[in-house]
């Protein structure tokens, strides 16, 4: 916690919602292929990117996440045919909303990662972790409650 | 003496009740010097109907609860709420007779025009069976939102300050014609997404969630803002969501019965392009 406030030692906390059929398998492949990537992302497996309610994202921010990642199948590859098309619209809108409310939209990242893209998954997590380090901690709860 | 529009409204209402075309007329009447919604079921009561610049309530909020055939007085925002209710299959078209009236902006007790009316783009009713009075001209464009010029930090400060005032009374939800879920996530106990006895971040979460639920639904009538006992400028938030939906998906809620709910639809090519654009702008 102490380190969190100093920008240098800051390790962002990322909540990642990964769809079972693509992104989760992609993350798995990154692991089994021994590709190294930062341990900052905590994966939550969901059946489809469209299972992710904007509420989950907002709740994660409230509970201390510095970034939220949503991973789904590439367009045209969703296991349920159209789930990621709905997710795409939903999160474009949510990014705009959080930006209006004062949260950097770069803290919410949506990517389509297939089961064979283990290296790409690792690269995205590396990138996102770096971005969040630059942005610093969100501390939403503290900032809302104390007005800091 | 009432205005011509008011008299015409009474005439139509009386007719409909006399002929037995409707069981109820939903309109406005006076109570002291307040204008309140009223429910008229016999021709003899029709004289109590009024139409003036204090008829601010969105009457669509009552429609789901009413039985039988109802004639409802509808200005721009009421009619748009009715369109959304029809789209969501919450009311039946054949149970409704819409008495359209045009609005010149509603004012409060002090005579000051409500914020939502000042920026209103649709004062004329969008659907109606009978139109009463005269049409008014419409503004073409949205106002610039002064909050847009604030930095992210300032915005978060602004909204935090606003939401810290919230007493979680849910008046904004209760008065909203578009909030009709049987079970509301804001009050759910298991899981309890919004901790009632929790800190102010729960209020931030509450209003952020509610804003996401307004996407593609809100008709910008401003009832939430008027109902709020602590004056949270909710319409800023919801208007922003409406504008985003319009910009991104080209849909304005309440305007067209044929429009699909924008978040339950997609357009492959266009959405892919949008995604690219948004990514460049917002990461
Ligand atoms: S199953 Fe992967 S996005 Fe729908």
């Amino acid at each position: 916690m102490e380190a969190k406030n100093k920008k240098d030692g800051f390790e962002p906390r990322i909540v990642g919602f990964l769809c079972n059929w693509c992104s989760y398998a992609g993350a798995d492949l990154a692991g089994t292929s021994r590709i190294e990537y930062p341990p900052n992302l905590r994966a939550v497996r969901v059946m489809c990117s469209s299972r992710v309610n904007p509420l989950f994202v907002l709740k994660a921010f409230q509970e201390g996440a510095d970034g939220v990642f949503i991973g789904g199948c590439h367009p045209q590859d969703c296991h349920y045919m159209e789930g990621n098309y709905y997710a795409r619209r939903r999160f474009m809108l949510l990014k705009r909303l959080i930006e209006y409310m004062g949260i950097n939209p770069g803290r919410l990242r949506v990517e389509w990662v297939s089961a064979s893209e283990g290296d790409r998954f690792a690269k995205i997590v590396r990138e996102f972790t770096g971005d969040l380090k630059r942005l610093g901690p969100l501390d939403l709860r503290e900032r809302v409650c104390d007005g800091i | 003496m009432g205005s011509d529009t008011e008299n015409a409204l009474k005439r139509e209402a009386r007719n409909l009740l006399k002929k037995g075309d409707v069981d109820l007329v939903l309109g406005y009447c006076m109570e002291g010097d307040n204008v309140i919604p009223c429910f008229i079921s016999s021709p003899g009561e029709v004289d109590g109907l009024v139409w003036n610049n204090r008829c601010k309530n969105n009457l669509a909020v009552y429609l789901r609860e009413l039985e039988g055939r109802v004639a409802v007085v509808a200005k721009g925002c009421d009619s748009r709420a009715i369109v959304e209710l029809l789209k969501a299959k919450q009311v039946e078209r054949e149970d409704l007779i819409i008495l359209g009236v045009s609005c010149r902006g509603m004012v409060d007790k002090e005579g000051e025009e409500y914020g939502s009316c000042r920026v209103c783009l649709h004062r004329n009713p969008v659907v109606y069976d009978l139109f009463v009075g005269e049409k008014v001209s419409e503004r073409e464009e949205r106002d610039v939102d002064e909050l847009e010029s604030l930095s992210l930090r300032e915005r978060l400060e602004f909204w935090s300050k606003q939401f810290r005032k919230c007493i979680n009374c849910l008046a904004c939800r209760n008065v909203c014609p578009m909030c009709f879920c049987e079970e509301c996530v804001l009050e759910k106990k298991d899981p309890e997404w919004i901790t009632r006895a929790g800190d102010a971040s729960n209020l931030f979460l509450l209003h952020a969630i509610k804003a996401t639920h307004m996407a593609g639904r809100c008709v910008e009538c401003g009832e939430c803002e008027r109902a709020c006992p602590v004056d949270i400028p909710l319409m800023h938030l919801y208007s922003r969501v409406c504008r985003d939906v319009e910009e991104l998906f080209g849909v304005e809620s309440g305007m067209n019965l044929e429009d699909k709910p924008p978040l339950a639809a997609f357009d492959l090519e266009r959405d892919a392009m949008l995604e690219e654009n948004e990514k460049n702008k917002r990461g």
Side-chain angles (χ1 to χ4, degrees):
Chain A
M1 261 319 248
E2 293 85 66
K4 228 181 139 212
N5 294 325
K6 284 189 247 132
K7 238 183 173 174
D8 327 321
F10 166 59
E11 287 298 335
R13 261 182 295 198
I14 306 173
V15 175
F17 296 99
L18 311 178
C19 100
N20 179 58
W21 305 98
C22 290
S23 296
Y24 194 86
D28 217 19
L29 180 64
T32 48
S33 331
R34 307 270 184 271
I35 303 169
E36 234 179 275
Y37 65 88
N40 301 57
L41 180 133
R42 279 75 161 171
V44 179
R45 179 157 58 158
V46 288
M47 287 312 278
C48 174
S49 60
S50 65
R51 172 63 182 92
V52 184
N53 188 323
L55 166 59
F56 302 172
V57 176
L58 296 164
K59 188 71 180 171
F61 283 135
Q62 184 205 11
E63 296 293 352
D66 300 295
V68 175
F69 178 81
I70 295 162
C73 311
H74 282 276
Q76 320 212 5
D77 286 347
C78 172
H79 192 72
Y80 308 97
M81 314 308 287
E82 3 189 274
N84 49 6
Y85 302 151
Y86 301 120
R88 176 158 67 185
R89 283 196 163 196
R90 201 181 292 164
F91 295 114
M92 270 196 265
L93 204 58
L94 185 62
K95 272 171 98 108
R96 284 184 170 220
L97 177 69
I98 62 172
E99 184 180 38
Y100 186 68
M101 296 179 83
I103 299 172
N104 193 309
R107 292 187 185 272
L108 170 58
R109 186 152 175 170
V110 183
E111 295 282 352
W112 317 120
V113 181
S114 81
S116 62
E117 293 176 314
D119 46 347
R120 186 159 160 262
F121 179 83
K123 185 171 154 261
I124 290 171
V125 177
R126 265 197 299 271
E127 245 177 54
F128 193 30
T129 306
D131 292 349
L132 291 170
K133 279 192 178 172
R134 246 165 282 124
L135 287 175
L138 173 59
D139 290 334
L140 186 64
R141 169 167 272 137
E142 292 77 0
R143 286 172 69 196
V144 171
C145 292
D146 317 327
I148 46 171
Chain B
M1 259 314 276
S3 65
D4 290 348
T5 309
E6 185 177 297
N7 291 329
L9 205 56
K10 287 180 186 171
R11 208 162 40 239
E12 298 295 356
R14 198 175 290 119
N15 258 337
L16 289 166
L17 285 167
K18 261 197 192 143
K19 280 194 284 172
D21 284 353
V22 297
D23 303 301
L24 200 71
V25 174
L26 177 50
Y28 303 92
C29 67
M30 299 299 292
E31 190 195 57
D33 14 295
N34 271 327
V35 174
I36 58 166
C38 69
F39 307 84
I40 293 176
S41 52
S42 78
E45 302 165 59
V46 163
D47 265 337
L49 269 184
V50 296
W51 174 250
N52 55 38
N53 62 359
R54 302 278 307 285
C55 301
K56 60 186 189 304
N57 310 268
N58 192 327
L59 298 178
V61 72
Y62 302 107
L63 291 177
R64 290 176 57 254
E65 316 283 334
L66 298 176
E67 306 233 319
R69 258 180 87 112
V70 178
V72 54
V73 177
K75 51 191 181 296
C77 49
D78 308 68
S79 74
R80 290 178 65 200
I82 292 171
V83 168
E84 284 303 317
L85 289 174
L86 287 168
K87 274 163 65 178
K89 304 220 172 359
Q90 296 297 311
V91 291
E92 299 278 352
R93 184 67 182 92
E94 54 272 19
D95 290 342
L96 284 184
I97 292 189
I98 303 169
L99 300 171
V101 274
S102 291
C103 173
R104 289 171 195 277
M106 294 297 157
V107 301
D108 64 14
K109 269 201 167 132
E110 275 73 52
E112 197 181 324
E113 192 174 18
Y114 291 110
S116 57
C117 301
R118 263 201 311 274
V119 300
C120 174
L121 298 176
H122 302 287
R123 296 180 155 197
N124 297 306
V126 176
V127 283
Y128 49 82
D129 299 297
L130 294 162
F131 182 79
V132 176
E134 276 163 40
K135 296 267 166 92
V136 296
S137 62
E138 305 275 22
R139 300 162 45 117
E140 299 279 306
E141 273 181 54
R142 283 180 181 279
D143 276 19
V144 180
D145 181 352
E146 68 273 20
L147 291 177
E148 303 277 334
S149 60
L150 300 182
S151 69
L152 283 175
R153 195 190 182 82
E154 290 166 328
R155 287 184 203 180
L156 187 57
E157 258 167 45
F158 174 84
W159 287 114
S160 301
K161 211 168 128 199
Q162 293 298 336
F163 295 144
R164 282 202 298 271
K165 299 191 293 191
C166 174
I167 55 169
N168 203 344
C169 66
L170 298 180
C172 53
R173 181 206 59 185
N174 297 341
V175 79
C176 178
M178 289 306 119
C179 282
F180 47 71
C181 296
E182 292 290 328
E183 186 180 48
C184 177
V185 68
L186 305 179
E187 282 188 297
K188 218 171 161 177
K189 290 282 171 296
D190 188 19
E192 190 180 34
W193 290 101
I194 314 283
T195 313
R196 285 220 139 207
D199 59 56
S201 68
N202 287 288
L203 302 169
F204 188 92
L205 184 63
L206 182 153
H207 287 285
I209 294 170
K210 192 156 175 294
T212 64
H213 290 195
M214 284 296 115
R217 291 213 179 86
C218 177
V219 295
E220 300 180 75
C221 62
E223 283 284 78
C224 47
E225 212 171 73
R226 288 189 284 273
C228 180
V230 293
D231 295 326
I232 299 173
L234 292 165
M235 281 313 296
H236 270 85
L237 198 55
Y238 304 150
S239 290
R240 172 60 206 231
V241 175
C242 290
R243 212 191 65 192
D244 287 341
V245 169
E246 251 170 79
E247 275 178 19
L248 290 169
F249 313 126
V251 177
E252 209 179 346
S253 35
M255 296 306 289
N256 192 341
L257 272 168
E258 310 306 316
D259 283 340
K260 285 221 187 90
L263 292 175
F266 54 83
D267 175 337
L268 276 192
E269 267 171 47
R270 196 165 168 274
D271 290 358
M273 250 168 53
L274 276 177
E275 187 183 22
E276 188 73 31
N277 282 343
E278 290 288 298
K279 240 188 183 148
N280 293 336
K281 268 191 257 165
R282 297 188 165 78

